[in-house]
Amino acid sequence: MMAKRKIAVVPLWDDEKKSIWMLPGYMDGIRDAGGIPVILPLSSSTEDALEIFDLCDALLMTGGHDISPALYHQEKKESCGQACPARDQMERVLYENALVNGKPVLGICRGIQLLNVLQGGTLYQDLPTEYASDIEHHMKPPYTNIAHMVQIRRESPLYELLGIETLGVNSYHHQAVKELGADLEVMAESEDGLIEAVCHAKQKFVWAVQWHPEFDYHVNPASRKIFEAFVSASAT
């Protein structure tokens, strides 16, 4: 029997408690899809991060802090939230290593934003002040509810996986993709035109979504299929 694939999970950081933590949905979503989630230590040591990642088969880039605007060559606005430099640095190294070694990557919320920045793209630092819209992108719980719809492009791998053009998603973010990074292709957009899902055109599985499948995978077949596709890709 084939060994289960080990999925490296980027930890969340609590500024107040000065500690790493994790939402169970990330772990359970991977586990239910047949993988073994491995929470990485938050380390500024490139060598340590790569040594641990070498033991894993794929990378999950989780939600969390805002991304430092310095990474996309912009000044930080007052409306931009707090960044986590240690995460920015560690994930950059892990992402680049994943690309070189052909390891699958799935980005969620902050994950799509950082992936876009690492590919040379930019972000809206704060949607309420930079992007006029009637769509609710920062919903209140429960996060199993639908906040808005996204349109899935028919030519995208996401459409190939789900077989639908419209998907209701949850939403909890105040930053978003602005200028699309190099080699990225849009897989889905929200009703107000924001990029909601992307993939890397030159990699077998580097996907990212702006919504949160970790919150509703247990009741949403589309979210469950995304986790399953990610874990399955790590075995090929």
Side-chain angles (χ1 to χ4, degrees):
M1 184 173 64
M2 180 179 293
K4 290 185 178 181
R5 313 312 287 177
K6 295 178 286 294
I7 312 299
V9 181
V10 176
L12 310 177
W13 174 252
D14 188 310
D15 290 298
E16 183 177 341
K17 296 180 180 180
K18 303 299 180 185
S19 64
I20 65 171
W21 65 287
M22 182 51 58
L23 286 165
Y26 291 121
M27 311 295 284
D28 295 340
I30 290 171
R31 189 178 295 111
D32 285 3
I36 300 176
V38 179
I39 302 177
L40 298 172
L42 184 57
S43 174
S44 58
S45 168
T46 300
E47 293 78 10
D48 288 353
L50 290 177
E51 184 168 343
I52 296 173
F53 187 46
D54 187 54
L55 304 174
C56 298
D57 304 294
L59 175 66
L60 176 63
M61 298 167 66
T62 55
H65 286 70
D66 285 1
I67 294 160
S68 172
L71 292 183
Y72 47 101
H73 312 294
Q74 290 186 6
E75 294 292 328
K76 182 179 180 180
K77 300 179 180 179
E78 291 186 4
S79 54
C80 184
Q82 188 169 354
C84 181
R87 275 200 65 176
D88 288 345
Q89 168 63 13
M90 185 177 81
E91 283 182 275
R92 180 186 65 81
V93 171
L94 294 173
Y95 177 71
E96 291 174 352
N97 181 271
L99 295 189
V100 169
N101 290 286
K103 293 184 179 181
V105 177
L106 176 62
I108 294 176
C109 194
R110 166 191 158 93
I112 188 175
Q113 297 161 14
L114 183 57
L115 188 154
N116 186 62
V117 167
L118 295 178
Q119 291 294 138
T122 63
L123 302 178
Y124 292 105
Q125 292 189 34
D126 180 61
L127 287 175
T129 58
E130 296 181 41
Y131 195 87
S133 175
D134 295 327
I135 301 300
E136 178 56 72
H137 289 287
H138 200 271
M139 69 186 292
K140 295 180 180 179
Y143 300 119
T144 50
N145 287 344
I146 292 174
H148 62 80
M149 308 301 290
V150 299
Q151 190 72 21
I152 300 174
R153 296 191 177 183
R154 289 185 62 92
E155 69 277 11
S156 71
L158 186 59
Y159 178 84
E160 183 178 347
L161 174 68
L162 302 180
I164 55 177
E165 293 186 20
T166 305
L167 174 66
V169 299
N170 54 25
S171 189
Y172 189 75
H173 62 105
H174 85 108
Q175 297 195 316
V177 172
K178 187 176 182 180
E179 296 171 307
L180 190 64
D183 296 324
L184 297 183
E185 295 181 350
V186 177
M187 295 199 295
E189 297 166 297
S190 59
E191 298 163 285
D192 56 0
L194 281 178
I195 294 172
E196 290 274 342
V198 300
C199 64
H200 195 300
K202 298 181 179 179
Q203 297 288 327
K204 67 175 184 178
F205 193 105
V206 174
W207 289 18
V209 298
Q210 184 60 73
W211 62 90
H212 289 270
E214 80 278 11
F215 284 136
D216 69 354
Y217 75 94
H218 57 291
V219 296
N220 187 333
S223 293
R224 189 160 54 250
K225 286 180 179 179
I226 289 172
F227 274 116
E228 290 171 350
F230 172 50
V231 172
S232 177
S234 71
T236 59

